[in-house]
Amino acid sequence: MILGATITALPPELFSAVLDHVYLSDLQATSLALTRALPHSPVPMYHLFLSITLRTRKQVVSLMRRLVFGKEKGKEEASWVKHFAFRGWDVDPDVLNNLLNHLPNLLSLHINAGTLFAPEHLDDMIRAPRPLLEHLSLAFRPYVERATYYQFLKGAYFDGFLELLAQWPSQSDSEGSGGLRSLSIIQEPPPRHLNSLATHTSFAQPMVFFSFKPISILARSLSVGKSIRQLRLRIPSRLYSRELSVISAFPGLTFLDVSTSVMGESELKELLIVFRGLQHLVVDATGLCGYGGVRNGWRDVGRMCASSGIERARAKERSVNQQILRRRQQEQAEGITDVLPTANVSVIHQKTTSRSSRPRAFGSSNISIRDASGASNDQRLSFGLSSSLTSTPAPTPTRTGIRILPPPSTLRTLCAATGPDEPQPTSESQTEWIEEFEEGWKEGIDRLKEHWNRLTIFTRNASTIDLVIYNDDHVTTMDPTDASPATLVEDVDGIVMAGLVDAEGSRFQDALGVDWERPPVICFGSESSLQQQCYSEGTSFGTFIAHRAGCGHVVGHEL
């Protein structure tokens, strides 16, 4: 009796302090159990509404009545809801949308869209922007047991909601935070009994997406596309890597999950080239180098992952050099020529960055045919003659192009579990695949270093070619806000080349750190085993394949 009186007298702040340490997935059940066990204790109701998970249409109606028809109290409780998830498949979409319209402060939203969901319902849910929303997750299960042509005849596909999502205004602040950070779109694979039923009755299951063009629109949008950091896009047995890997797609992406899609080495290469900041890649059940894959497939994948920056840099070089060429042609058409300046003619451009700050090739000699000022003998002769005739300094040769030092790979984990209908690899096969990948990774690193050496030697001997690097966190040699105007590669020829800075060899190497050559963690564990495994390397349960510590499956599960 004394104990009960003591618990009842505890302040509400103490209960809040305890509930703040409960996982969001367990907070609703824990808060409810605490209020029932201690009905007279001042347990704050805020925690009961902070994270809500519903599974039946009856629960949706009950919550709707309390929050919508609860007058002032219901409005206050609705403002407490920060995380909402409906994980059932049987619900009235109109009632669900009405409920969501009364939840203005959502940070995360998960919806299961079953056969009752039409594209119009999802469009209504997405049409109004949610400024505070950081995580959006949608799961689709459109499968039927009887043949229906309604979806095909009406054109009832969910392509449009991606275009609506791309129209959301930008919510990022000056520091780049805010806005939608995580997007998950999953079409669940058909159940096995429906697969066999469709095979015997000869009808195709409905599709969620008819065209993947809206994926490209979303990827390049200046609002949502720019703010997304984690993307999960699972569409079984469909090929959409080309639409996903368009130029400037999701520039801040660090986590990508394209499991169950069609994924070969060429599609993987496209993704690695476009997403230069990618750290975690999940390609489960895509058949990438699994059973039946090509010989030495994992070695090729490892080499590709390590040296993908070379292809990325070459693509950027072509784009920038084409801009420079067009600028030169425009100047020639306008009658502008690069002539030696006289006393009455101002210098069109004087580049202030000395050639002595050029990056030196790794292991190259200190001997140079140039003098201390960086000019060759012929250049000194011509410049001296010009000075004696005009009494003005000679201009630096105009840039005719650039070369880009390819950045090293940022990939930290690569997950490639086999599908549920495929044989699970043995421990010997896993070890063999990992060793092949690491051998290929080392070959790719060696190729990258060799490319760096060739570029530094070439640009040091070419007075009109500049050597630059990407201005990214993982390869930036200097803080762009502190760099002098002579250091930033911009507006030199009337062309702004955003994201590129002049390379300095020693600082470039220092910025890489000590672990940049370390190969990514490779994991073949299935997603279904996550709930049955402690996240420690080498632990396995039953016939499940153990997940390696820190693998992309674990990272994605915690998003």
Side-chain angles (χ1 to χ4, degrees):
M1 192 69 178
I2 297 178
L3 179 60
T6 304
I7 296 179
T8 304
L10 291 176
E13 293 79 8
L14 185 56
F15 287 102
S16 290
V18 174
L19 292 174
D20 284 341
H21 290 79
V22 179
Y23 288 110
L24 283 176
S25 57
D26 302 323
L27 184 58
Q28 180 182 1
T30 302
S31 301
L32 182 60
L34 192 58
T35 56
R36 290 179 175 177
L38 303 172
H40 302 293
S41 298
V43 179
M45 297 297 293
Y46 164 80
H47 297 277
L48 184 62
F49 290 89
L50 178 63
S51 178
I52 295 179
T53 300
L54 306 180
R55 290 178 171 81
T56 65
R57 63 165 59 201
K58 184 177 180 180
Q59 291 176 334
V60 173
V61 173
S62 299
L63 184 62
M64 177 78 174
R65 289 174 178 173
R66 173 155 184 162
L67 299 184
V68 178
F69 303 111
K71 298 183 180 180
E72 292 300 325
K73 183 178 179 181
K75 186 176 182 180
E76 181 184 13
E77 292 173 344
S79 66
W80 293 342
V81 182
K82 297 296 193 299
H83 309 273
F84 181 86
F86 178 75
R87 300 191 177 276
W89 297 101
D90 183 17
V91 69
D92 187 333
D94 293 318
V95 177
L96 183 59
N97 275 341
N98 195 5
L99 173 61
L100 293 176
N101 290 335
H102 290 82
L103 304 178
N105 299 325
L106 287 179
L107 299 178
S108 66
L109 174 63
H110 173 86
I111 298 296
N112 282 2
T115 55
L116 297 179
F117 255 85
E120 295 81 5
H121 296 128
L122 191 55
D123 292 348
D124 292 340
M125 186 184 302
I126 300 297
R127 183 171 286 107
R130 292 183 175 271
L132 302 179
L133 193 65
E134 298 178 353
H135 306 278
L136 176 61
S137 176
L138 301 170
F140 296 90
R141 186 185 288 177
Y143 309 112
V144 295
E145 296 188 3
R146 294 183 178 180
T148 174
Y149 301 98
Y150 168 80
Q151 184 190 41
F152 173 76
L153 294 175
K154 186 181 178 181
Y157 303 102
F158 290 87
D159 306 4
F161 97 90
L162 293 175
E163 298 181 0
L164 290 176
L165 192 61
Q167 297 173 10
W168 280 16
S170 176
Q171 305 297 336
S172 300
D173 54 25
S174 59
E175 297 180 355
S177 60
L180 191 64
R181 316 290 287 180
S182 175
L183 176 62
S184 176
I185 301 175
I186 299 177
Q187 179 182 348
E188 295 197 352
R192 294 184 179 181
H193 75 281
L194 290 184
N195 272 336
S196 59
L197 180 63
T199 301
H200 289 88
T201 56
S202 300
F203 75 90
Q205 291 289 346
M207 295 188 301
V208 175
F209 297 102
F210 181 77
S211 170
F212 294 124
K213 184 178 179 180
I215 295 179
S216 300
I217 298 175
L218 178 65
R220 290 183 291 189
S221 66
L222 298 179
S223 53
V224 175
K226 188 176 181 180
S227 65
I228 285 181
R229 298 294 180 267
Q230 297 91 28
L231 176 65
R232 181 180 286 111
L233 190 60
R234 298 182 183 177
I235 306 175
S237 303
R238 301 288 299 275
L239 178 62
Y240 50 86
S241 59
R242 179 169 298 179
E243 289 80 5
L244 182 60
S245 56
V246 292
I247 298 177
S248 302
F250 300 114
L253 198 67
T254 60
F255 176 92
L256 177 63
D257 183 349
V258 289
S259 299
T260 72
S261 67
V262 176
M263 179 65 59
E265 292 186 25
S266 59
E267 289 77 23
L268 177 63
K269 183 177 181 180
E270 291 178 350
L271 297 179
L272 294 173
I273 291 176
V274 171
F275 303 118
R276 63 174 180 259
L278 194 63
Q279 299 178 11
H280 308 282
L281 178 61
V282 183
V283 289
D284 294 344
T286 59
L288 179 67
C289 297
Y291 285 104
V294 296
R295 183 176 178 83
N296 295 328
W298 279 107
R299 187 168 190 158
D300 295 338
V301 170
R303 186 187 306 110
M304 183 191 310
C305 290
S307 60
S308 60
I310 297 177
E311 297 296 331
R312 182 186 310 129
R314 286 174 175 170
K316 183 68 174 179
E317 283 177 2
R318 288 192 294 268
S319 175
V320 174
N321 288 333
Q322 287 174 0
Q323 295 182 50
I324 294 177
L325 178 60
R326 284 195 295 267
R327 176 65 177 181
R328 290 285 167 268
Q329 294 173 347
Q330 180 181 357
E331 290 179 349
Q332 293 175 1
E334 295 174 356
I336 302 177
T337 59
D338 294 324
V339 297
L340 294 177
T342 63
N344 297 324
V345 180
S346 62
V347 179
I348 295 177
H349 164 64
Q350 179 75 29
K351 186 177 180 182
T352 59
T353 303
S354 66
R355 301 299 296 184
S356 61
S357 65
R358 294 280 179 176
R360 190 173 298 278
F362 302 103
S364 62
S365 172
N366 292 326
I367 300 176
S368 174
I369 63 175
R370 299 174 182 273
D371 63 356
S373 64
S376 64
N377 293 333
D378 293 339
Q379 287 174 329
R380 291 201 312 274
L381 179 61
S382 61
F383 289 172
L385 179 61
S386 173
S387 299
S388 64
L389 295 176
T390 64
S391 299
T392 57
T396 301
T398 305
R399 179 202 289 123
T400 59
I402 67 166
R403 298 301 301 270
I404 301 177
L405 277 177
S409 174
T410 59
L411 198 64
R412 295 295 172 260
T413 67
L414 176 61
C415 302
T418 56
D421 298 328
E422 298 175 332
Q424 298 296 310
T426 63
S427 57
E428 292 78 10
S429 297
Q430 296 179 52
T431 302
E432 180 183 354
W433 293 348
I434 293 175
E435 290 177 352
E436 287 183 3
F437 179 89
E438 292 179 350
E439 290 175 0
W441 176 270
K442 186 179 183 304
E443 293 174 1
I445 292 296
D446 293 339
R447 181 190 174 199
L448 189 64
K449 291 180 179 179
E450 181 183 356
H451 194 73
W452 288 347
N453 284 334
R454 288 201 304 266
L455 287 185
T456 51
I457 293 173
F458 172 78
T459 54
R460 191 173 64 246
N461 296 326
S463 60
T464 61
I465 303 294
D466 287 332
L467 184 64
V468 299
I469 63 173
Y470 283 102
N471 185 20
D472 293 333
D473 292 338
H474 58 285
V475 292
T476 299
T477 62
M478 64 203 74
D479 184 354
T481 60
D482 296 335
S484 64
T487 303
L488 292 178
V489 184
E490 61 178 341
D491 203 27
V492 177
D493 298 291
I495 303 171
V496 177
M497 291 167 285
L500 298 176
V501 295
D502 275 326
E504 296 182 4
S506 60
R507 302 184 70 181
F508 176 75
Q509 298 178 62
D510 294 341
L512 296 180
V514 296
D515 295 331
W516 71 274
E517 296 186 39
R518 180 180 299 175
V521 174
I522 309 298
C523 181
F524 301 103
S526 61
E527 184 179 6
S528 58
S529 65
L530 280 176
Q531 301 296 335
Q532 305 185 38
Q533 176 179 338
C534 299
Y535 299 142
S536 59
E537 187 171 358
T539 305
S540 62
F541 294 81
T543 59
F544 288 115
I545 298 176
H547 290 267
R548 300 185 67 185
C551 74
H553 292 124
V554 178
V555 174
H557 185 71
E558 295 175 350
L559 292 178

